[in-house]
Amino acid sequence: MSEIKVPFFRPSFDDEEKKAVCEVIDSLWLTTGKVTHDFETEFAEYVGCSHALAVNSNTSGMILAMEACGVSKGKAVITTPYTFVSTAASAVHLGGEVYFADVEKDSYSIDPDKIEEILKKDTAHTVRAIVPVHVAGNICNMTKICELAKKYSTQQNRIYVIEDAAHSFPSPTKNGFAGTLGDIGVFSFYATKTMTTGEGGMITTNNDALAKRMTQMRLHGMSRDAWDRYTNPNASWEYDIIAPGFKSNLPDVLSAIGRVQLKKAKSFDEKRKEIVKRYNEAFKDCDYLILPPDGEGNSWHLYLIQINPEKLDCDRNTFASELQQRGIGISMHFIALFRFTYWKEKYPDFTPENFPNAERKTANTITLPLYPDMGNEKAQIVIDAVKQVGEKHHVR
């Protein structure tokens, strides 16, 4: 392996994040408290929703969201096989089942027509939530998905829409930000995301009842959080347990980083999009590459290229390996879930043949470096490496 010339990702930090963390440490209140509450308020204002709940990961947020929507034994969600494992695993943790719908032919987004095929067959009304995933920051067809949820809901079984918005911040559309287009949105602040708290996430919703349930369940099912119990002079030791909840809260130390990163989100977004423009311009005439889709509100969390097998004498793995040999830190988003042992054994018909679009993208996609502080020099190194490998294997 050669020396890494361009890492896959580096977070953008400066003294402002350090100062914010030190202030929390000096306050001696480290867990969820005022800083986290302020972070929630600021995030809700940014995306334009009624409630924002800070959590310790997108995965925790997905579990809380699904639980609030009634996912449990005998109930199910619909999602895509082209996602990170936690999207589907969250339903399994709650005892639920997962129905998978293929992605669209020309995008990485879940196909609404495939969703409807599943809903038509769900005569037992087991589906409690549709979970679209905004892969790489490109927004799914939320209008159609929300219409399907409404169409197939009954008085006894409402179908909710939970957006896996781990990749899509900030993603403004004419109908609002991603994460506010369905009933619940769940964001990720993992280390490689468009803004980060190291580990963490945020749940957004405009539904008061769902917000109340998720708030209680995020901290052991307690009726009061630690900040209230330890700072309220009125019977601070008293609380109730309303359900066997989870431990999903985000501490103030990490929220302090998030508050600073949120202020920089627009600047980060602009810098990423400048790199995207360079990539698009450089690769537009490379017939051995299929460039990523770009729809309204795309946050460009990731830059996904697909190799065109008809124009190359090598496969994706060879192409990717040769990029690494040239010092480019690449990744793969995603390995479709039907390729993993657990999911293959759990659902025997969950095979590549039944999800041809997801399989094609799994076999051919490479994720290139994309982060705010890359700069033109590192972007050009990536461009040169991609073209060198492409021209080497180009079939004319």
Side-chain angles (χ1 to χ4, degrees):
M1 185 67 141
S2 64
E3 178 186 355
I4 296 294
K5 297 177 182 176
V6 184
F8 175 67
F9 185 84
R10 278 184 178 165
S12 298
F13 287 159
D14 59 28
D15 288 343
E16 198 172 352
E17 282 89 354
K18 296 177 184 178
K19 179 182 178 183
V21 170
C22 288
E23 287 176 353
V24 171
I25 293 173
D26 290 343
S27 77
L28 302 182
W29 185 276
L30 305 182
T31 188
T32 305
K34 183 179 184 304
V35 175
T36 298
H37 293 168
D38 289 344
F39 183 30
E40 292 172 331
T41 298
E42 291 159 5
F43 195 89
E45 290 175 352
Y46 197 110
V47 300
C49 68
S50 302
H51 306 278
L53 309 176
V55 287
N56 55 18
S57 70
N58 171 273
T59 303
S60 293
M62 292 299 297
I63 292 172
L64 288 168
M66 290 182 188
E67 194 278 339
C69 292
V71 178
S72 60
K73 186 176 181 179
K75 298 299 180 180
V77 304
I78 300 173
T79 193
T80 166
Y82 204 84
T83 183
F84 188 60
V85 64
S86 63
T87 309
S90 296
V92 176
H93 287 314
L94 294 166
E97 299 295 335
V98 186
Y99 301 140
F100 293 99
D102 202 1
V103 296
E104 297 170 324
K105 182 179 179 181
D106 297 323
S107 84
Y108 294 88
S109 298
I110 192 168
D111 187 339
D113 292 337
K114 296 298 182 181
I115 294 174
E116 186 161 25
E117 288 179 12
I118 295 170
L119 290 171
K120 285 180 178 178
K121 295 176 182 177
D122 186 36
T123 55
H125 302 295
T126 61
V127 174
R128 293 308 302 265
I130 303 169
V131 188
V133 181
H134 304 314
V135 178
N138 201 43
I139 310 303
C140 298
N141 187 342
M142 290 302 298
T143 298
K144 182 68 180 293
I145 291 170
C146 290
E147 288 173 352
L148 288 173
K150 183 177 180 179
K151 177 180 177 181
Y152 287 92
S153 288
T154 66
Q155 285 187 335
Q156 295 75 30
N157 189 75
R158 176 176 173 180
I159 299 172
Y160 294 89
V161 176
I162 303 171
E163 297 172 73
D164 188 334
H167 290 187
S168 51
F169 178 80
S171 296
T173 76
K174 63 184 177 185
N175 296 319
F177 275 77
T180 70
L181 305 176
D183 296 290
I184 301 175
V186 188
F187 296 86
S188 173
F189 303 141
Y190 180 66
T192 61
K193 294 302 189 289
T194 56
M195 61 167 279
T196 184
T197 56
E199 294 279 2
M202 191 75 75
I203 306 171
T204 50
T205 186
N206 289 309
N207 185 307
D208 294 343
L210 293 176
K212 181 178 180 180
R213 177 67 178 184
M214 291 186 291
T215 298
Q216 293 174 326
M217 293 297 285
R218 121 180 110 164
L219 193 62
H220 303 296
M222 288 182 179
S223 59
R224 301 168 64 192
D225 65 21
W227 177 251
D228 181 39
R229 298 199 314 276
Y230 286 103
T231 60
N232 190 327
N234 299 317
S236 63
W237 61 89
E238 291 186 355
Y239 61 87
D240 192 15
I241 299 294
I242 55 91
F246 308 98
K247 183 70 167 68
S248 307
N249 57 302
L250 189 70
D252 275 11
V253 172
L254 300 186
S255 293
I257 299 173
R259 292 184 70 195
V260 176
Q261 291 270 295
L262 184 61
K263 294 176 184 177
K264 299 176 179 180
K266 184 177 180 181
S267 172
F268 290 166
D269 185 59
E270 291 170 350
K271 290 178 180 178
R272 284 194 313 278
K273 287 176 179 175
E274 284 300 314
I275 302 299
V276 169
K277 287 180 182 178
R278 289 182 65 86
Y279 281 167
N280 284 342
E281 180 64 25
F283 301 142
K284 67 179 182 181
D285 296 324
C286 299
D287 64 357
Y288 49 82
L289 298 179
I290 300 171
L291 301 191
D294 184 16
E296 182 190 15
N298 194 340
S299 65
W300 288 105
H301 164 49
L302 302 171
Y303 192 88
L304 310 180
I305 58 170
Q306 292 181 70
I307 66 163
N308 183 350
E310 296 179 359
K311 295 292 183 179
L312 293 168
D313 65 8
C314 70
D315 62 10
R316 189 276 310 277
N317 288 356
T318 299
F319 199 108
S321 178
E322 293 193 18
L323 287 179
Q324 290 179 317
Q325 290 168 18
R326 286 167 169 78
I328 307 303
I330 54 92
S331 188
M332 308 292 179
H333 293 81
F334 287 102
I335 301 172
L337 299 187
F338 48 68
R339 289 197 173 192
F340 294 122
T341 299
Y342 171 80
W343 296 103
K344 288 189 290 186
E345 292 179 348
K346 183 173 178 62
Y347 299 116
D349 63 345
F350 192 31
T351 63
E353 293 76 19
N354 290 328
F355 301 87
N357 295 333
E359 170 60 13
R360 187 179 308 110
K361 291 174 173 61
T362 294
N364 295 327
T365 297
I366 301 171
T367 313
L368 298 182
L370 176 60
Y371 52 94
D373 295 336
M374 272 184 72
N376 292 335
E377 183 178 344
K378 284 187 170 59
Q380 192 61 49
I381 293 173
V382 175
I383 290 167
D384 291 343
V386 170
K387 286 189 169 184
Q388 287 166 10
V389 177
E391 291 302 318
K392 175 183 174 181
H393 294 284
H394 194 190
V395 176
R396 292 175 173 83

